[in-house]
Amino acid sequence: LYSVGTSRYGVCQGGLHIIDLTDPLEPTFAACIDSDGYTHDAQCLVYDGPDQDYQGVEICFAYNEDTVTIWNVEDKSNVQ
C-alpha cells in the first residue's frame, strides 16, 4: 500500500509511505521515500514501456510540491 500526504512531521516526513499488507490484519512498515519533500499524489505501476532496463519493474511517479520524481520501488529495502 502506498500512502501519500501523511504528516510532514511524523513518519516519512510527508513523503511516500509504503506499508506491507502481506498480513492485512497486521500491516507493517515497509519503507519511506522522504528525500524529495511532501508528496501529494502518486501513481505506482509495473513498467511495461520501451526501456528494456525497467521492463517488469515496479515504479512510482511521485507528485511533489515542486517536482515529479520517478522511484524504483521494486526492492522496498532499497528504494531508488
Side-chain angles (χ1 to χ4, degrees), residues 12-28:
C12 299
Q13 303 294 307
L16 194 61
H17 184 173
I18 305 171
I19 302 163
D20 181 353
L21 294 178
T22 302
D23 180 351
L25 296 177
E26 293 189 38
T28 57

Side-chain angles (χ1 to χ4, degrees), residues 42-58:
Q43 181 176 7
C44 301
L45 53 95
V46 175
Y47 183 78
D48 188 28
D51 189 332
Q52 294 295 317
D53 291 341
Y54 296 97
Q55 287 277 329
V57 174
E58 186 177 13

Side-chain angles (χ1 to χ4, degrees), residues 9 24 63:
Y9 308 105
Y63 306 98

Side-chain angles (χ1 to χ4, degrees), residues 22-43:
T22 302
D23 180 351
L25 296 177
E26 293 189 38
T28 57
F29 172 85
C32 276
I33 304 173
D34 58 6
S35 60
D36 201 17
Y38 176 76
T39 300
H40 57 79
D41 287 286
Q43 181 176 7

